[in-house]
Amino acid sequence: MAALCAARRYAGAAQHQEAIITQENRAVGTIVLFGATGDLARRMLIPSLYHLWREDRLAEGTRFIGAARSDLTPNEFRAQAADALTAGAATGYREPEVIADFVRRFDYLAIDADHPATIAALASRVGSSACLHYFATAPQLYGPLASALKAAGLTGDGHRVIVEKPIGHDLASSIAIDDALAAAFREEQIFRVDHYLGKETVQNLIALRFGNALFEPLWRSEGIDFVEITVAETVGLEARAGYYDGSGALRDMVQNHMLQLLALVAMEPPASLDAAAVRNEKIKVLRSLRPLTAASVASHAVAGQYGPGVADGKPARGYAEELGRASATETFAAVRADIDNWRWAGVPFYLRTGKRLASRYTEIVVHFRAVPYSIFAKDGGLLAPNKLIIRLQPEENVRLTLMAKEPGLERDGARLRELGLDLSLSEAFKDVRRRIAYERLLLDAVDGDQTLFVRRDEIEAAWEWVDSIHAGWAAAGITPRPYAAGSWGPAASIALTERFGHSWHE
Ligand code: BG6
C-alpha cells in the first residue's frame, strides 16, 4: 500500500503542487457516473478520472460510483474499468497495481430512473456527501434521472450535474430537456459539456487573442476580410447510425463545437476569465448571428453526403451503403455565417465540416485585409494578404503568413514571397502530456467553475440559428449533394466562398 501511494505521489507531486494546495476547497465528495458501462465512460471519463486521481488532483477520499442499467456486481464493473484503463490510460500510467488501487475505489449500482428503489439505494450509498452526477447517458434519460435524483434528495446545494450534447435536435426539444433539468437543478449546478472547450488548443485561442496586444487592433472588420473554420474528419458513420442519421453535420458539429469556436474568435474581450464574463460575451455573438432564410440559404449554406470513394488509402463505401438505405442526412455542411454587430459587419465567417473528407484537421484561418496600396505592384508580384492560421488538431500550431523580400540584386524592384512565422505548440510543449479534454472539464466541474461549460442561453441561440438553416433548406427543397469519400466535399462548397470573392485555404 505504501508503495502504491509512493507511485501516485511520484506521478503527481512535483508537477501539480497547486492542485494539492487547493484540494480543501473542493466540495464534491462523490462522483457518480451514470451510463458507466457505455462508450464515453470507457474511452474518456474513467481514464480522465483515473489521471486526475493519480495526480492527486481530487480531494483525498473522493468516492466514485458507477451506475448503469446492467446488472453487474461491483467487482465485475471494476474489472471492466481496469480493462478500459489498461487500454486507454496515458502512456506511463498503466501499471496494473496502480490501476487496481484506483478501481477498487469504484462502487457500482444497477440503476433505473423509473425504479425509485434503485435511486434510493444510490441515495443511501451517497449519504450526506455532495455529488457530481455525470449523465453519460442518452439525453432522453436526463429528465427522468434529474427528477428521480430530486425525489431522492440528491439535487440540493453542493450537488452538480454534467450533461453533454445532443441537448435536443432543435430549439424546442432543447428547451424541453433544459426545462426538465431546471426542475431539479439550478443553472449554477448544471455543467453542459462541449468537449471542444476542454481542448488545450481551444483555450489557447483565448490566450492568443487576449494575451497578445498585437492582434486586437486589427481584430475587426477594418482589419479582417474573412474567417474560415474547418473541422474535417476522415471517419464515416462509424457505429453511430442510430444517433447520426437524422441528426447530420449541422446538428452534430456546427450547433455546438463550431459555433463555440466562432464565438471565441468573435467575442469582445471579457472582463475576466470568470464564467459569467466569458459566457456573457459569447452569447452576444451567438445572438448576433444573422438567421438564414429560404431566400438566402441556397447561396449561404451547402449540404453534402458522401458517396463511395477512398478513405485512408482504402476503398470506402458511401453513406447510404453504410447505412443500408437512402437517407437525406447531410454528412457535410458549409455555411457562410454573418455576425451582425459593429465589430464584424460585412465579414463572412465560413464554417465547413464533414465526414470522410480528404484529411482530418481542425483549423481556424483569419484572413487579414490587403495593404491599402501596393508599392510593389509593378514587378514584385501580387501581395498575398496576411493570414493567421490556427491549427487546433491533430498538430497544434499557429502560423502567421507575411510577405518578405526574396534575396537578390534585381534592379527593377523587390521580389516578394509569402513566408510563415511558425509557432509550434506541439514542439514548444513536447514534454507536457497532452490531456484528454475531459480531464480539464471534470476538474473544473469538481471545482464548480463553469467557464468552459455552455450556458442554456448559448445552446438556445445556437439552435435558433441552426434551425433557420434547416428551415431554409426545407423551404427551398435543398437536399445533400453527393461527394466522393476522400474528397473535400461537394463542388458547391467551393462555389460558396467564391461567390463572395473568397476561397478556402487548403
Ligand atoms: C463529436 C461528434 O461531438 O465530435 C462526432 O458527435 C465527431 O461526430 C467528434 O466525430 C469530433 O471530435 P474530435 O475531438 O475528434 O474532433
Side-chain angles (χ1 to χ4, degrees):
M1 187 60 218
L4 290 182
C5 288
R8 288 184 53 201
R9 296 283 166 200
Y10 177 74
Q15 260 177 302
H16 307 298
Q17 282 304 332
E18 89 289 2
I20 294 164
I21 291 162
T22 56
Q23 274 178 6
E24 289 72 30
N25 305 335
R26 296 186 180 144
V28 163
T30 306
I31 300 178
V32 189
L33 221 52
F34 295 89
T37 53
D39 191 53
L40 181 66
R42 184 174 47 77
R43 286 189 307 114
M44 302 288 170
L45 305 179
I46 294 173
S48 297
L49 287 172
Y50 168 64
H51 295 160
L52 294 174
W53 167 82
R54 187 189 160 112
E55 294 176 354
D56 288 329
R57 288 183 171 272
L58 301 174
E60 194 70 39
T62 300
R63 292 192 302 148
F64 307 94
I65 301 179
R69 286 211 166 129
S70 312
D71 207 4
L72 299 176
T73 64
N75 274 339
E76 284 166 339
F77 177 74
R78 288 177 194 128
Q80 282 189 8
D83 287 347
L85 292 173
T86 309
T91 313
Y93 276 25
R94 295 184 186 171
E95 308 92 319
E97 64 281 13
V98 186
I99 289 179
D101 186 23
F102 173 68
V103 299
R104 76 177 173 74
R105 288 152 209 273
F106 253 101
D107 201 350
Y108 179 83
L109 273 174
I111 289 270
D112 186 336
D114 294 334
H115 291 103
T118 62
I119 305 285
L122 173 67
S124 77
R125 291 294 161 93
V126 164
S128 58
S129 151
C131 294
L132 180 63
H133 304 284
Y134 202 122
F135 290 180
T137 64
Q140 306 84 277
L141 294 177
Y142 295 172
L145 274 175
S147 75
L149 291 177
K150 184 174 181 195
L154 293 178
T155 58
D157 284 342
H159 290 277
R160 292 171 194 152
V161 64
I162 307 189
V163 291
E164 190 148 350
K165 70 171 257 272
I167 301 197
H169 58 272
D170 58 11
L171 177 62
S173 52
S174 88
I175 290 176
I177 291 177
D178 272 327
D179 280 351
L181 288 170
F185 296 97
R186 287 174 291 109
E187 180 65 23
E188 302 73 58
Q189 296 173 283
I190 303 173
F191 292 70
R192 293 180 197 81
V193 168
D194 182 308
H195 81 276
Y196 267 51
L197 296 184
K199 289 183 192 267
E200 200 66 47
T201 38
V202 173
Q203 294 157 50
N204 218 337
L205 196 57
I206 302 182
L208 194 71
R209 278 199 63 194
F210 305 118
N212 297 291
L214 211 60
F215 301 115
E216 177 54 20
L218 288 175
W219 210 261
R220 56 195 67 248
S221 59
E222 290 80 2
I224 291 177
D225 188 14
F226 67 106
V227 177
E228 289 173 54
I229 304 179
T230 295
V231 182
E233 298 190 282
T234 52
V235 292
L237 185 54
E238 300 177 289
R240 302 165 77 213
Y243 154 72
Y244 194 85
D245 193 59
S247 183
L250 271 187
R251 293 186 176 98
D252 184 46
M253 298 297 285
V254 176
Q255 189 273 343
N256 36 75
H257 311 320
M258 297 193 76
L259 286 185
Q260 285 295 320
L261 292 179
L262 174 142
L264 293 175
V265 172
M267 71 182 181
E268 297 300 313
S272 70
L273 283 182
D274 159 295
V278 172
R279 302 194 301 178
N280 286 347
E281 297 308 335
K282 285 195 294 167
I283 185 66
K284 287 183 208 161
V285 173
L286 297 171
R287 288 206 176 122
S288 306
L289 286 169
R290 185 187 307 160
L292 272 71
T293 61
S296 66
V297 80
S299 54
H300 285 60
V302 173
Q305 188 187 89
Y306 63 86
V310 176
D312 300 321
K314 295 190 211 100
R317 291 185 299 162
Y319 180 80
E321 275 175 279
E322 279 184 50
L323 195 62
R325 60 183 155 79
S327 160
T329 297
E330 83 286 355
T331 61
F332 175 96
V335 190
R336 171 182 166 146
D338 283 271
I339 302 170
D340 286 336
N341 66 17
W342 274 35
R343 188 185 280 261
W344 297 113
V347 180
F349 280 67
Y350 299 107
L351 310 180
R352 173 175 63 159
T353 186
K355 302 272 184 205
R356 282 273 188 255
L357 295 184
S359 64
R360 173 182 181 256
Y361 70 84
T362 300
E363 191 174 80
I364 299 171
V365 186
V366 178
H367 295 257
F368 291 95
R369 291 199 183 278
V371 293
Y373 171 76
S374 172
I375 59 170
F376 304 101
K378 229 192 309 167
D379 297 306
L382 286 178
L383 287 186
N386 307 118
K387 294 188 280 287
L388 182 68
I389 304 165
I390 306 167
R391 182 57 81 108
L392 302 165
Q393 59 185 21
E395 325 81 44
E396 305 164 42
N397 52 51
V398 181
R399 163 174 259 233
L400 181 63
T401 67
L402 297 172
M403 296 308 294
K405 181 188 170 300
E406 279 185 15
L409 294 177
E410 288 77 13
R411 302 185 58 79
D412 52 352
R415 298 213 159 270
L416 303 193
R417 187 163 10 129
E418 186 182 64
L419 293 178
L421 206 56
D422 289 311
L423 179 68
S424 167
L425 300 166
S426 312
E427 184 56 29
F429 301 112
K430 64 173 184 289
D431 298 332
V432 181
R433 176 171 76 78
R434 287 299 184 267
R435 291 178 177 281
I436 305 173
Y438 288 90
E439 292 180 46
R440 158 106 258 161
L441 298 173
L442 277 161
L443 193 61
D444 283 359
V446 165
D447 275 344
D449 180 349
Q450 292 185 306
T451 306
L452 297 178
F453 294 87
V454 187
R455 205 165 59 189
R456 178 173 180 161
D457 51 1
E458 294 178 71
I459 301 273
E460 291 178 3
W463 273 126
E464 252 183 272
W465 188 70
V466 163
D467 284 356
S468 78
I469 305 175
H470 281 122
W473 277 343
I478 292 175
T479 51
R481 295 161 188 261
Y483 62 96
S487 69
W488 279 111
S493 137
I494 297 170
L496 167 73
T497 50
E498 289 188 344
R499 183 172 300 125
F500 303 105
H502 300 133
S503 50
W504 297 105
H505 168 78
E506 303 286 355

